[in-house]
Amino acid sequence: MNLHWKNVICVFFFFGFLLNMSAQEKKITGVVSDSAGPLPGVNVILKGTTIGTETDFDGKYSLKAKTGDVLVFSFVGMQVTEKTVGAASELNVLMKEDANLLEEIVIVGYGSTSKKDLTGSVATIGVEQLQDKPVANVTQALQGKTSGLQIVSTGGRAGDATQISIRGNGSLSASNSALYIIDGVPQEDMSGISPEDIKSISILKDAASTAIYGSRASNGVVLIQTNRGGYQQDISVSFNTSYGFQNIIKRPELLNATQYKNVLDVARVNYEQDIASGVLNGPKDPTELTPLPSSPYNIDWLKLVLRDNAAVKRHQFSISGGGENTRAYLSASLFDQEGIIKEDNYRVGRIKLNVEQKMNDYVKFGINSFFSYSESTPIADDNSTYQPYSNALRARPDVNPYDADGKAAIHSFTNPLFAFERQVTDKWQNLGGTLFFDVTPIESVVWRSAFSGNIRNNRYNRYDAPNTRRGLNGDGEPTGYGYYSTANNRDYLIENTVTYTDRFANDKLKLTLLGGHSFQQWDYEDSYVAGEKFPSSDLNWLYSAGEINQGRSYIKSMALESYFTRLQLSWNSKYHFMVSTRYDGSSKFTEENKWGSFPAASIGWTISNEKFFNVPAITELKARASFGYTGNQTGISYASGQNLLASGANYDQAPGLAATEIFNKNLKWEKGEAFNVGLDVTLFNKLDVNFDYYEKETQDLLSRVNVPQESGFGTMLANVGNISNKGFEVNLNARILEKEDFKWNFGANFSYNDNKVLKVGAESGQYETGFVSVVKEGSPLGSFFLLESAGVASESYTYKKADGTDGHTVAAGDMIYVDRNGDGKISDADRRVFEGGIAPMYGGFNTTVEYKGFDLGISGQYSIGKKVYAAFKERLLNGGAVGAPAYSNNMLTEMLDYWTPTNTNASNPRPHLSSVVSEWNMKRSSRFLEDADYLRISDITLGYNFDFLKDSDVKFIKSLRLYAQVRNPFTFTKYSGTDPETNYVDQSAESSQDRSDRSKIEAGVDLGGIPNVKSFLVGLNVKF
């Protein structure tokens, strides 16, 4: 009997315990919305914890809480809302727009902060500006999106690469590229992610923001956070697809066969007249004066090499969701592009997987991983002899492209069709990811431990058949040629950080303290083998080569170890302070110079939060200032500061060792010193204006200097110079109209950067590089060293010497150049510096109009003060200079405006077959230097969202959007070339820690590269 009552009591207490537990913790669900409807992506956390969930596409959330607990709801642009859990298990929330837009959360180095507490110069780019862009690389979609960000892309090659600069360029031989941080991991570029995978992008521009990354942050930092699922989120599926076609942005106008013959006939007559008058001696070969015969051919070479309506396709699929303790995001994408040049193709597939698991309230772990595979059939780059586009510009229009056998004919010029005879494939595989653990031992402390790694494998195979022009050996024999190379590039990163966040003094003082350690190592492994004498064009692997005559293999490694810390303080949302430092050690330098320290500090004052401030028109006003140091060791060799010997130096077929270069034991980091002041203003709660002024000086530039020849070397790497960048930036965003059915937003940005070389390692204060470029003290990077053209002589002109006597005489119809030194003749000593290869002023704009289900977006970019040296015109305005019997170069139709006795105000000199006259008229001068300011409408997108689906029976489709888009439809410029944005960007080169970047000091030279493209496409976005 007693046992029976004991059992009853036990059962009673057991059920009581369960009821009590149920009363303490229960499942809370609800919908979060604003005035327009449900809000997807809202962050929901239990106050006092860091673990929470996100609302799904219908604004729904679900998590466990206790009665009396406080739930915190936060969303960009909305007021942070707190709700107390009551007896009910359903809690719906209506969020309101935040008049203080500085509440926005911004991703910064090793963490995030509210924009109201931000003291550095950081720009955020909305993800919506990156969507629906048919680009191979995310950087292309960033053009014109924010101030201080200058991106150059020629765009005509499939899978085209880009170059990005943040606040100018501060290096000569080391890298000028920004540092990319994707999900907390430094990357060489952004090729491994799709635009649809991105959740947020932050551009860190000043030293206070970038110094936490130390030795790699002198050129700015691009921080990217990718998507991830939400806890307690129903499974969500999205599918995005688009299809379109591309064409050349502008087609050059070339002489046809009749015009070509007419110009050459005039050139011959002018030559004959100068011989008859005794001005010139007759040619050694009389056939030079043989008239060019008429031809049955009139070939449009551009039509033979250009592809009309080159296709571009993009497909992306993603799935996300999560349970109580797990959330995940998986995406797969395919980008397939045909270049505007025939045979040029690029295809890349990407897979992204982010998974996060909560073990308990104190520990969570996860993995952010990606895989990409690209395959291309690249055509020759801009500086190659066999680049088909530039050769098509120069090819004679009056000859047959093919020989009797139907193959590309061999002429006195390089047949553009030779470029298509080569069989080549270039394949890259990229696998990478991060495994991380977040431990919260106490409420205010988070310890993160992460291990990251990347593996990039390349397989490059090339074959030139014996029966092709490129398959001839050095003696002109048809042997065929095969080349096969591999690369295995690896890096890994181990990083540990501890972050302490707390509030004091009745929540008025906010404190965040970060400390961390990082170690990263890179290994680059490379090999190739080559051979010739292939028995058949059908047997094109090196296994079939009769002779293997070349080969190489090597591996190089480098490492970087770092210690860093940062303290952030904010008092009463008025006064803000941040100080940080990073201590980096690089394996590239000797023990004495291995370590570098990079401190920074910044302050901010939110003036509008002061009691004395009472300006109704200004809803927000904040001042900022920062100062700090960054460094640079990227872009120099893996052991530049070491005393090294290399094997393989061959003397009389014997192996041996030799010094690689002169040892410079004093070699050390480049170091950048930067200052920034800024002002953030919001007017009438409608207009946001951000202004920044900065000064940045890079010291101890890593560059090569000339050394005495008796040393056995020509140059030595040393710290030899300084470069200054000063400027200001303005960002403007206006919410012009915000009605229930109609919204209109407008944004614009402007940047001015004054770049100046202060010191170089040369006694003359300058050195020449590239074709016409110069690095000169007192001038910016991207300067040109040229004669100054004074136009075409309308009549005979004689130079005068300093003593007044006659110097060189120029015949009527020939070029006149400025004799700067007054010696009566023209020589290299008369050259002067012209600036503008890199535009000092640039910016962009965008506007979006939404009406009911329709949306129209227009964006563009511009450049002011830009110059381009049209080097390709040195041949295309040659006036028949090549002469008989080759007659190899065609010309632009602008050549038809040439000097004659009845056209003395012509823009071009008289056509002439004499090499003496043509050499004079074609001197590298400002004749070919053109203004290249431009305004480009880069994007027009019209879309429609099918809102009726919400009320229909098709419940499984949450949203559906159809859109049409035009890319680069209009470009307004005076530049006569095909594209004012010209720049040679080597798409085949792999980014690496030791790859030098000299493109900025040789910028603004148009070699006749493949120009940008304009495209039209339609797309569909569906969410389930």
Side-chain angles (χ1 to χ4, degrees), residues 54-70:
E54 294 179 1
T55 56
D56 63 15
F57 289 105
D58 292 326
K60 298 177 181 178
Y61 76 94
S62 175
L63 78 168
K64 287 186 177 182
K66 304 172 186 177
T67 300
D69 282 346
V70 177

Side-chain angles (χ1 to χ4, degrees), residues 204-340:
L204 312 186
K205 297 187 284 188
D206 69 329
S209 305
T210 62
I212 194 69
Y213 290 108
S215 65
R216 288 178 288 173
S218 61
N219 302 307
V221 179
V222 179
L223 287 179
I224 296 178
Q225 188 180 65
T226 60
N227 290 320
R228 56 210 64 221
Y231 291 110
Q232 299 289 355
Q233 175 191 318
D234 293 337
I235 292 178
S236 174
V237 178
S238 66
F239 176 69
N240 305 309
T241 184
S242 66
Y243 177 82
F245 54 85
Q246 305 174 128
N247 285 292
I248 188 172
I249 200 167
K250 177 184 176 182
R251 185 183 172 95
E253 296 183 6
L254 300 167
L255 300 181
N256 59 33
T258 300
Q259 295 169 326
Y260 177 73
K261 174 176 169 51
N262 290 340
V263 170
L264 288 173
D265 285 344
V266 172
R268 176 179 49 79
V269 171
N270 286 335
Y271 194 9
E272 291 173 339
Q273 290 177 346
D274 282 351
I275 294 172
S277 64
V279 175
L280 294 174
N281 295 323
K284 295 180 179 179
D285 185 356
T287 60
E288 289 187 24
L289 297 177
T290 303
L292 179 68
S294 298
S295 170
Y297 299 104
N298 184 24
I299 305 303
D300 183 352
W301 289 96
L302 283 176
K303 187 175 182 179
L304 295 180
V305 302
L306 287 176
R307 179 187 271 147
D308 292 328
N309 299 325
V312 56
K313 293 172 281 188
R314 182 179 59 92
H315 311 291
Q316 193 261 353
F317 168 86
S318 69
I319 181 170
S320 64
E324 183 177 349
N325 297 308
T326 306
R327 64 174 180 174
Y329 172 83
L330 172 66
S331 77
S333 65
L334 175 66
F335 180 82
D336 192 351
Q337 181 183 22
E338 294 179 339
I340 58 173

